[in-house]
């Protein structure tokens, strides 16, 4: 698998498209705080690499204003088309969607004030090369910002065998595809290794209530990657469905506590 054409680990099903759109809302307050910490200014030229159907394009558009410019870079044609539709629907006139690989964006080198990715690096086998491409787009003094999860905190209590079975099955299939569900803890090190200065980190976690889609996120992820799980012989289709039903019942119980995965933000300045 070449690093410039690595397969998106969770596939491109309709389920995955809807999951990507749904996950935007819970992450929006944290992304707003990140842009405030970076102190994004009106008139900046910025890029969201691997923006998917919307990413943080709306937040960047608002932050840089009518004098600024936002590039949403997305390799997958189906997600790029959705991003164009979303940008048009929201009236984001300063946003341009570029269908390109994150390893070769085609954007002008050394011209951006900020580059950002969220939940992209966790899918990329050669993360150092991806970060290097992001950095090449920045002007000296520009900011790189990374957001990825670390599943070390992700659990339910009381513990349940079906959670453990599906959690392990997801990570086995995901990691075989080149993903890393525990990447968050490595983000500051990736930036420092790349020579980034003034590296800062913020970590978020949450307890998920009944009605929050993230409470059943593990089941959604299993649906997105189920073909790989079955093909790899990790679980049979029947076993997978049985564990999904049992876990859904457990998570529907208000007495069950669900702790969210960590969201790790790390950012710094290009020398």
């Amino acid at each position: 698998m070449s690093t410039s054409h690595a397969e998106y680990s969770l596939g491109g099903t309709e389920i995955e498209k809807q999951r990507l759109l749904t996950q935007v809302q819970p992450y929006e307050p944290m992304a707003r705080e990140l842009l405030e910490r970076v102190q994004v200014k009106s008139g900046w030229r910025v890029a969201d690499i691997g923006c998917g159907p919307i990413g943080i394009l709306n937040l960047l558009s608002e932050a840089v204003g009518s004098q600024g410019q936002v590039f949403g870079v997305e390799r997958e044609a189906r997600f790029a088309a959705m991003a164009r539709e979303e940008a048009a629907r929201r009236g984001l006139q300063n946003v341009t969607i570029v269908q390109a690989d994150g390893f070769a964006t085609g954007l002008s080198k050394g011209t951006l004030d900020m580059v950002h990715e969220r939940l992209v690096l966790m899918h990329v086998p050669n993360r150092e090369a991806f970060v290097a491409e992001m950095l090449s787009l920045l002007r000296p003094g520009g900011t790189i910002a990374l957001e990825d999860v670390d599943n070390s905190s992700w659990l339910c209590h009381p513990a349940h065998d079906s959670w453990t079975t599906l959690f392990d099955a997801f990570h086995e299939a995901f990691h075989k595809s080149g993903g890393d569900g525990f990447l968050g803890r490595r983000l500051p090190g990736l930036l420092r290794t790349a020579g980034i200065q003034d590296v800062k980190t913020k970590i978020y976690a949450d307890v998920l209530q009944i009605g929050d889609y993230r409470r059943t996120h593990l089941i959604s992820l299993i649906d997105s990657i189920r073909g790989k799980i079955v093909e790899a012989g990790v679980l049979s289709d029947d076993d997978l469905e049985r564990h999904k039903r049992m876990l859904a019942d457990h998570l529907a119980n208000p007495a069950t506590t669900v702790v969210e995965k960590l969201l790790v933000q790390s950012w710094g300045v290009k020398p």
Side-chain angles (χ1 to χ4, degrees):
M1 180 185 297
S2 69
T3 56
S4 59
H5 297 284
E7 179 187 1
Y8 175 58
S9 307
L10 298 180
T13 64
E14 187 62 32
I15 291 172
E16 177 60 9
K17 292 178 186 178
Q18 293 308 312
R19 188 189 69 79
L20 289 171
L21 283 172
T22 302
Q23 79 177 5
V24 168
Q25 290 302 319
Y27 286 134
E28 187 164 298
M30 292 85 93
R32 284 189 181 277
E33 290 181 7
L34 174 63
L35 298 186
E36 289 172 3
R37 292 190 181 94
V38 171
Q39 299 181 338
V40 176
K41 294 178 174 57
S42 176
W44 272 19
R45 301 179 75 249
V46 300
D48 190 12
I49 309 298
C51 63
I54 188 62
I56 66 165
L57 298 178
N58 57 320
L59 305 184
L60 290 171
S61 174
E62 177 184 339
V64 304
S66 60
Q67 300 304 308
Q69 191 170 12
V70 180
F71 298 97
V73 178
E74 173 54 48
R75 190 193 71 175
E76 303 294 331
R78 55 195 180 279
F79 296 155
M82 291 180 72
R84 291 190 184 95
E85 292 171 3
E86 279 294 304
R89 185 179 70 82
R90 299 178 188 225
L92 308 181
Q93 297 182 2
N94 57 353
V95 172
T96 300
I97 305 302
V98 178
Q99 186 183 339
D101 195 298
F103 290 94
T105 65
L107 299 178
S108 298
K109 305 291 188 182
T111 62
L112 299 184
D113 299 289
M114 177 185 174
V115 289
H116 168 271
E117 70 80 29
R118 182 172 67 193
L119 309 181
V120 178
L121 275 180
M122 62 188 292
H123 299 281
V124 176
N126 191 342
R127 296 167 182 97
E128 292 78 6
F130 195 92
V131 169
E133 171 66 15
M134 292 178 71
L135 290 179
S136 73
L137 304 177
L138 280 178
R139 62 168 176 79
T143 298
I144 180 172
L146 312 177
E147 298 188 82
D148 279 279
V149 297
D150 191 308
N151 292 343
S152 56
S153 65
W154 200 18
L155 57 83
C156 68
H157 181 81
H160 194 282
D161 286 345
S162 291
W163 176 283
T164 302
T165 297
L166 295 179
F167 182 90
D168 291 345
F170 167 75
H171 284 95
E172 182 173 345
F174 185 55
H175 290 175
K176 282 182 178 178
S177 298
D180 183 354
F182 303 94
L183 178 65
R185 68 192 71 178
R186 295 178 51 201
L187 296 184
L190 279 171
L191 292 182
R192 292 190 180 98
T193 298
I196 295 302
Q197 298 177 346
D198 196 23
V199 174
K200 295 182 173 65
T201 302
K202 174 72 175 178
I203 298 177
Y204 296 87
D206 203 357
V207 175
L208 307 177
Q209 307 301 322
I210 296 287
D212 189 322
Y213 104 94
R214 294 174 297 168
R215 189 174 172 94
T216 57
H217 194 195
L218 178 57
I219 295 173
S220 299
L221 287 173
I222 289 293
D223 284 336
S224 290
I225 205 171
R226 65 179 299 143
K228 294 180 180 180
I229 292 173
V230 173
E231 288 169 11
V234 178
L235 282 176
S236 70
D237 202 55
D238 288 344
D239 283 342
L240 189 149
E241 285 299 317
R242 177 171 57 85
H243 282 295
K244 281 177 53 185
R245 289 193 300 270
M246 294 173 66
L247 181 57
D249 289 343
H250 184 59
L251 298 179
N253 185 343
T256 300
T257 299
V258 180
V259 180
E260 172 67 312
K261 60 185 77 68
L262 301 177
L263 176 69
V264 182
Q265 298 174 337
S266 195
W267 67 98
V269 176
K270 179 179 179 179

